Amino acid sequence: MKHSLLRRTLLAAASSVLLMGALLPAAQAQNKVLLRISTPAVPDDWHAKMWTVFKDNLDKSAPGEFDVQINLNASLFKQGTEPAAMARGNLELSSISAFDIAKLVPEFSVFTAGYIIRDPDHQQKVFNGPIGAEMFKSVAEKMDVTPLSTVYLGTRQVNLREARNVKTPADLKGVKLRMPGSREWLFLGEALGATPTPLAFGEVYLGLKTGTIDGQDNPLPSVRAAKFYEVTKQIVLTSHLVDGIFIAISNKALNAMNPAQKQKVRAAAAAAAAYNNENRLKEEAQLVDFFKQQGLQVTTPDVDAFRKSVQAVYQNSDYAKVWPKGLVERINATK
Ligand code: KDO
């Protein structure tokens, strides 16, 4: 009797040791800082791959401290809903656009305007200088998320299902141009002279294939990565928006970190953006040839006519009314 009691006690002790062993990794994982990432980017695009750079960088600088979970293809949150998810505490990181920000920080709409940022270098100088610092402060206060790094998404071009002669905005009249689904994006489509149609990025390929839309606008690397060139016949080099996205973290997640962790997360975001920017710029310069090889017509419109017309539309819009006095001049003067 005594013997079997001892046996049972020993067995129970042994199994609880085993159980503890099995639970330990989970318990350790729970102690890690959870960083959930959501982006609509497709796996083959640079701003999707940059998140692996972010994760690898943190795994190296802070082994075992962070649990970085990357969700591509808008599989966790729908495109454009990431800032709200971050503010609610359901998401830690994302790459947010000027268009997402402008909904809550109206003066940020200056960066949704066509032909404001001149080129990728100008973009980095504006956002990494005093203008960026002021704007990002408002973003942190009003959206409860902190922008960490500015990512060059590329220069947006018009990409059409059927080729047509496009020289000025008037030539896009009646063209159902897909834009992401927000007022600010649709306004850009209108400013280009087209009939903007809202659609999430993930639905664009099918929309082009079936003809529910006549075209879309995106930077060339995204046209390649999402394979839109398979279902379109022309790229019109309007270069209407030198587009940027911002690696942003929820303030809740950032504030819960110790200073060393914050610094490591900032460094990882800088490495991710640098990886994207370098590769995207290099690829963007080579893609016209690639698209021609794929049988697309690549045409150059009267870019000055587009610039003048789009700038006038924005200057006369309600958006411009909330741009702080002198901001456009300061942006223009940034060199
Ligand atoms: C798009 O939907 O056209 C867009 O280029 C908008 C960007 O702000 C960004 O959301 C991007 O899509 C996605 O990351 C997919 O590349």
Side-chain angles (χ1 to χ4, degrees):
M1 188 72 178
K2 252 190 195 165
H3 183 75
S4 76
L5 187 64
L6 181 69
R7 216 174 100 91
R8 275 214 304 271
T9 315
L10 280 175
L11 270 176
S15 64
S16 68
V17 166
L18 275 177
L19 193 68
M20 265 175 66
L23 288 178
L24 206 58
Q28 271 171 357
Q30 275 166 18
N31 289 335
K32 289 186 181 180
V33 178
L34 176 64
L35 295 181
R36 289 165 296 185
I37 296 159
S38 183
T39 168
V42 294
D44 202 22
D45 211 334
W46 300 109
H47 68 302
K49 294 185 195 172
M50 78 174 176
W51 287 114
T52 305
V53 172
F54 175 85
K55 180 176 162 47
D56 290 350
N57 191 290
L58 270 188
D59 285 347
K60 236 190 196 157
S61 66
E65 276 186 64
F66 292 93
D67 178 13
V68 180
Q69 300 179 1
I70 305 170
N71 301 279
L72 306 178
N73 290 321
S75 58
L76 194 57
F77 287 100
K78 278 193 200 154
Q79 183 181 31
T81 64
E82 303 92 347
M86 285 196 278
R88 280 199 310 270
N90 295 336
L91 182 70
E92 285 70 42
L93 279 149
S94 185
S95 50
I96 60 177
S97 70
F99 296 79
D100 298 327
I101 297 174
K103 284 185 208 165
L104 292 154
V105 185
E107 63 271 28
F108 216 92
S109 64
V110 71
F111 299 116
T112 68
Y115 302 103
I116 273 271
I117 297 290
R118 291 188 296 269
D119 53 46
D121 183 53
H122 185 216
Q123 179 187 62
Q124 290 296 318
K125 286 187 174 134
V126 168
F127 289 108
N128 295 333
I131 298 175
E134 285 161 35
M135 291 294 218
F136 290 160
K137 193 164 169 278
S138 302
V139 173
E141 285 164 7
K142 293 188 183 154
M143 295 178 69
D144 222 8
V145 308
T146 296
L148 300 175
S149 288
T150 301
V151 173
Y152 175 55
L153 188 68
T155 301
R156 296 184 84 92
Q157 315 291 0
V158 169
N159 175 209
L160 299 175
R161 194 170 176 266
E162 296 296 340
R164 57 193 285 146
N165 186 11
V166 180
K167 289 291 173 218
T168 71
D171 300 319
L172 286 176
K173 194 169 187 301
V175 169
K176 275 188 272 164
L177 188 68
R178 172 272 169 181
M179 303 301 287
S182 80
R183 197 171 70 98
E184 289 76 12
W185 276 113
L186 298 176
F187 191 79
L188 178 62
E190 244 171 65
L192 287 168
T195 304
T197 308
L199 207 60
F201 187 82
E203 290 160 34
V204 175
Y205 185 96
L206 200 62
L208 289 168
K209 193 172 176 167
T210 58
T212 52
I213 48 175
D214 300 322
Q216 65 92 27
D217 86 308
N218 251 294
L220 299 184
S222 298
V223 175
R224 198 261 320 144
K227 298 195 163 40
F228 296 152
Y229 63 87
E230 290 180 351
V231 283
T232 53
K233 299 210 174 99
Q234 185 184 13
I235 288 171
V236 187
L237 297 170
T238 45
S239 301
H240 52 277
L241 187 76
V242 177
D243 204 2
I245 48 175
F246 308 93
I247 295 182
I249 186 164
S250 78
N251 285 348
K252 190 170 168 237
L254 193 63
N255 293 339
M257 290 176 200
N258 65 42
Q261 287 175 328
K262 283 183 190 169
Q263 191 276 327
K264 285 170 186 173
V265 166
R266 284 186 184 281
Y275 165 87
N276 167 86
N277 295 357
E278 190 187 315
N279 285 294
R280 188 176 289 277
L281 274 166
K282 207 185 287 165
E283 192 194 25
E284 198 171 38
Q286 296 160 359
L287 279 173
V288 165
D289 284 344
F290 170 77
F291 292 129
K292 283 184 181 163
Q293 281 159 21
Q294 298 300 314
L296 273 78
Q297 286 186 34
V298 182
T299 60
T300 306
D302 182 346
V303 177
D304 276 342
F306 268 97
R307 183 181 294 109
K308 275 194 196 117
S309 167
V310 170
Q311 284 181 341
V313 171
Y314 274 92
Q315 284 298 346
N316 296 323
S317 73
D318 283 347
Y319 291 111
K321 291 188 183 137
V322 298
W323 297 346
K325 210 166 172 288
L327 179 60
V328 172
E329 289 75 11
R330 283 175 70 206
I331 294 171
N332 290 341
T334 303
K335 290 209 168 81

